[in-house]
Amino acid sequence: MNIPISASRPDFVLPNSTLNGTTFLIRRDYLSKLEWPGLVHVTFPVIIPILLILGIIGNSLTIAVLWHKNMQSTTTILLFRSLVITDMAVSLVWSLNGVSEYYLFQIPEGQSYYLDVVYPCIYIFLLYLIYFFRGVNIWITVTLCVERFIYVCVYYKANVICTKKRITIALAVIVGFFFVFSIQQLIEFKPVSYPCYGSLCYINEFTEVGKSFYYSKGPFWFNMLMYNILPTILLGSLSIPIICKLCTMYRKRVQMMNTTQSSGTLQRKETNVTIVLLLIVLFSVLSNLNGPYLVAVYVYSIYNTSFFYLICIFNTIVILNSSINFIIYGIVGIRFRRILIKMLKQTYYKILRKPLPAKVRRATVKEEPASNDNAIELTSNDTTLYNGI
């Protein structure tokens, strides 16, 4: 389970209030009195907003490139498109909630209309969006890893197993599952008004369902399983054979002196696609490593200075994971980089209202045949490859 600066449940921190069954007042009363490390005051009001802005810009450019007419639609591109949409959503909702909870403990109660009236009312729905988009994002990454594993390690069955129809069905199943799975966040709390400095403020209380035994333990362990344990195991177990296969391919390419220049170029392009995936998997796994510590905090009530440092680190990694893919695509993806540069040049001359130079007008991105044959098949003198990104 991934959380922003504090847990979604009030019993995640030691209650220091007589208002049992509430969320925001307990967390204000307890956490606002603790001495927070300086890293907290740098992470949430400075680092996360900067990463969010860079992520919005990068993901917007990524969307423009992935939907460009020269980026042919294949199963790989379909998954990358789904991934960038959820990356944008995760960075937005996660940053909004994390920064809001930081200021919730910094600004005195009753002095912020947003924190005392607006945020408690949208908190439940915002929490639902966090769990929904985060779950979809993680399992799209797993699906992309499975697709790459098939194309790299089981290439002779790739065109039969990985089709657009099956990938679309897999995406629909993932979205539908987490649409239903995340509903638990909507029925756990309810906003309740109370007098606050001459007006009404709001606080979240447990519903009757939220007070039940199931909600005292169940969602935490289910979320751990779906958001941390299973994805990490699958991503790790699939990435290892992919890396081994890439190393074998590299050694064969060095030894195959009779490989044509075109085939070698295509093989490097396909390898780049897989490297992009492995880098994405690396950041995804790092963002899931907060699970064991959260278990210790939840089960054994371990609260110390390291809690704040780890919360800062994990929040930064999650936002970075949703914002850095543009850089990975730009550095490693050959086709992505060419289309992006072409788009930027065309936009530059359009803004300046200048005619495009002849060399820019003639610039095109070389297209491979529009088929779904993006498997890696190594033979003694031939390599059939696909340049996904």
Side-chain angles (χ1 to χ4, degrees):
M1 180 177 64
N2 296 278
I3 60 171
I5 189 172
S6 60
S8 62
R9 300 182 58 86
D11 57 355
F12 192 88
V13 297
L14 297 175
N16 192 24
S17 171
T18 59
L19 297 174
N20 292 327
T22 59
T23 294
F24 288 106
L25 289 183
I26 288 179
R27 286 190 284 170
R28 280 197 178 199
D29 188 49
Y30 178 72
L31 289 178
S32 61
K33 294 179 181 179
L34 295 180
E35 183 178 353
W36 291 16
L39 181 63
V40 177
H41 303 293
V42 174
T43 300
F44 289 94
V46 180
I47 296 178
I48 287 182
I50 291 176
L51 290 178
L52 174 62
I53 295 172
L54 295 177
I56 292 175
I57 296 173
N59 287 324
S60 299
L61 291 174
T62 302
I63 290 173
V65 173
L66 292 180
W67 266 270
H68 193 272
K69 61 182 180 180
N70 288 334
M71 188 67 74
Q72 66 183 33
S73 179
T74 63
T75 56
T76 304
I77 299 302
L78 180 61
L79 289 170
F80 275 125
R81 288 173 178 174
S82 305
L83 189 65
V84 70
I85 292 175
T86 55
D87 278 334
M88 177 78 83
V90 168
S91 62
L92 286 172
V93 296
W94 197 288
S95 299
L96 176 61
N97 195 64
V99 175
S100 297
E101 292 207 345
Y102 169 80
Y103 285 109
L104 183 69
F105 309 128
Q106 303 300 313
I107 300 177
E109 181 187 348
Q111 295 188 13
S112 172
Y113 181 82
Y114 170 75
L115 294 178
D116 295 303
V117 178
V118 178
Y119 180 62
C121 293
I122 67 172
Y123 171 77
I124 300 173
F125 183 67
L126 194 62
L127 198 63
Y128 170 83
L129 293 179
I130 288 175
Y131 278 80
F132 171 69
F133 285 118
R134 179 65 175 154
V136 173
N137 181 267
I138 291 173
W139 282 92
I140 287 177
T141 304
V142 173
T143 305
L144 184 57
C145 195
V146 172
E147 189 242 19
R148 282 288 96 191
F149 172 80
I150 294 173
Y151 281 136
V152 173
C153 301
V154 199
Y155 58 85
Y156 48 86
K157 294 184 178 180
N159 293 331
V160 177
I161 299 175
C162 293
T163 63
K164 289 184 182 180
K165 182 178 180 180
R166 290 182 177 179
I167 293 297
T168 303
I169 293 175
L171 292 175
V173 170
I174 292 173
V175 172
F177 174 82
F178 283 99
F179 180 83
V180 176
F181 184 77
S182 303
I183 289 179
Q184 58 179 305
Q185 307 302 326
L186 297 178
I187 60 179
E188 186 174 6
F189 297 114
K190 61 180 179 180
V192 178
S193 62
Y194 68 97
C196 175
Y197 291 90
S199 61
L200 289 179
C201 295
Y202 289 88
I203 186 172
N204 282 320
E205 291 185 355
F206 278 122
T207 62
E208 292 301 321
V209 177
K211 295 178 183 178
S212 65
F213 175 78
Y214 168 78
Y215 268 92
S216 65
K217 299 296 181 182
F220 179 85
W221 295 106
F222 287 146
N223 291 334
M224 278 287 298
L225 183 66
M226 297 306 300
Y227 292 83
N228 295 92
I229 299 175
L230 283 180
T232 303
I233 293 175
L234 290 174
L235 290 174
S237 59
L238 290 171
S239 298
I240 293 175
I242 291 176
I243 294 174
C244 294
K245 183 67 174 180
L246 288 180
C247 294
T248 302
M249 288 170 54
Y250 176 77
R251 290 194 296 268
K252 287 185 177 181
R253 188 168 66 245
V254 173
Q255 296 173 0
M256 291 166 56
M257 302 302 296
N258 59 341
T259 301
T260 63
Q261 180 64 32
S262 176
S263 175
T265 301
L266 289 175
Q267 187 173 11
R268 285 192 297 271
K269 291 178 180 179
E270 177 66 13
T271 302
N272 287 345
V273 179
T274 308
I275 292 175
V276 167
L277 167 68
L278 294 176
L279 292 174
I280 293 174
V281 167
L282 173 62
F283 281 94
S284 181
V285 170
L286 288 176
S287 67
N288 289 334
L289 291 180
N290 56 334
Y293 185 79
L294 294 180
V295 172
V297 172
Y298 189 80
V299 176
Y300 301 105
S301 298
I302 300 175
Y303 300 96
N304 49 43
T305 306
S306 63
F307 171 79
F308 292 100
Y309 284 110
L310 289 175
I311 289 297
C312 291
I313 293 172
F314 291 137
N315 275 270
T316 302
I317 290 177
V318 169
I319 303 299
L320 185 64
N321 176 54
S322 299
S323 305
I324 201 172
N325 288 348
F326 169 76
I327 299 176
I328 297 175
Y329 296 156
I331 294 177
V332 183
I334 299 175
R335 173 175 294 186
F336 183 93
R337 188 166 58 249
R338 289 176 179 175
I339 294 178
L340 177 62
I341 293 174
K342 179 182 177 181
M343 289 175 54
L344 292 178
K345 287 182 178 179
Q346 291 176 343
T347 303
Y348 172 76
Y349 285 104
K350 185 176 181 179
I351 293 176
L352 296 181
R353 296 182 179 179
K354 292 182 178 180
L356 291 174
K359 61 179 181 179
V360 176
R361 288 198 303 268
R362 291 194 301 266
T364 58
V365 178
K366 296 182 180 180
E367 293 292 323
E368 308 301 333
S371 65
N372 201 40
D373 186 15
N374 47 349
I376 300 181
E377 182 178 0
L378 293 176
T379 61
S380 59
N381 56 6
D382 181 63
T383 308
T384 304
L385 298 156
Y386 160 74
N387 176 21
I389 192 171

